[in-house]
Amino acid sequence: MQENRQEMVTLYDLIVQIKEPPPPDAISLWPQTPGAWLLVAILLGALLYAAWRAYRRHQADAYRRAARAEIAQNPDDPAQLAEVLRRTALVAYPRPDVAALIGEDWIAFLNQKTPRPYFDDRTGTLLTSAPYRATTGDTEAISALRHGVQQWIDHHKPERTVDQRLALMQGQPVAPAEASP
């Protein structure tokens, strides 16, 4: 009987003898196949290209930020608003298309270059006459003009490429053949 007792093993004795299996090797999150590496390289290249393009566009839009800052310094001077608007248009469009425009032709040009026209008869007259005569003191018209100028600066679609705008802002001339797309 004593022999049977030694041979008799309890469930507890068996459970105590169980050893934990070793943990599996860690699975790497790095790509393992050449195709996966190629996909990672393509995605990284596309991301870098997109970042470079965004940086260049940010640089090329510096003229917009400079115009907004200049307007903020003296927002109630229609002559300065007209000057800032003209300089902004000269950066965004070829000089022959902008420099000679005056009066209604200038206002029509400005209204054509944005999705919606920002200059009506009242603000257009104020814009075209401001550089040549003193302001009448019509604060409502000046406020409407300032709003129109700010909106035009923000929403016009430049014809010049990013490289051409960057060259102009750095003081480099843009060849006439390159001026129009």
Side-chain angles (χ1 to χ4, degrees):
M1 180 110 157
Q2 199 172 25
E3 208 174 280
N4 281 345
R5 263 189 153 182
Q6 287 181 348
E7 291 178 18
M8 197 186 261
V9 179
T10 63
L11 181 61
Y12 176 76
D13 294 334
L14 291 175
I15 291 177
V16 171
Q17 292 178 8
I18 295 177
K19 293 185 180 173
E20 285 285 328
D25 293 336
I27 298 173
S28 175
L29 295 178
W30 288 102
Q32 301 297 317
T33 63
W37 278 107
L38 179 64
L39 181 62
V40 167
I42 289 171
L43 290 175
L44 185 61
L47 181 66
L48 289 174
Y49 179 72
W52 176 76
R53 294 249 334 190
Y55 175 70
R56 296 272 298 173
R57 188 167 305 277
H58 177 75
Q59 281 183 316
D61 283 343
Y63 75 101
R64 292 179 198 250
R65 292 188 301 278
R68 280 189 230 111
E70 199 168 333
I71 289 171
Q73 289 176 354
N74 195 0
D76 296 328
D77 183 5
Q80 183 184 8
L81 293 173
E83 180 184 339
V84 168
L85 188 60
R86 181 72 68 159
R87 279 189 279 130
T88 302
L90 285 170
V91 172
Y93 303 98
R95 180 171 288 276
D97 295 351
V98 175
L101 294 174
I102 57 172
E104 290 181 20
D105 293 337
W106 172 236
I107 300 304
F109 173 84
L110 293 173
N111 285 333
Q112 289 172 355
K113 299 302 179 181
T114 55
R116 107 173 228 263
Y118 293 109
F119 302 103
D120 57 14
D121 290 337
R122 189 174 95 190
T123 57
T125 302
L126 182 58
L127 180 67
T128 56
S129 66
Y132 308 108
R133 64 177 149 157
T135 321
T136 60
D138 185 1
T139 57
E140 185 179 320
I142 294 171
S143 177
L145 176 63
R146 180 180 58 247
H147 176 73
V149 169
Q150 289 171 338
Q151 292 299 312
W152 191 90
I153 289 170
D154 290 340
H155 298 291
H156 72 276
K157 304 291 185 223
E159 289 178 6
R160 293 189 188 218
T161 65
V162 170
D163 292 330
Q164 290 170 339
R165 286 182 278 156
L166 285 172
L168 279 172
M169 289 185 293
Q170 294 168 356
Q172 300 168 355
V174 175
E178 298 174 16
S180 297

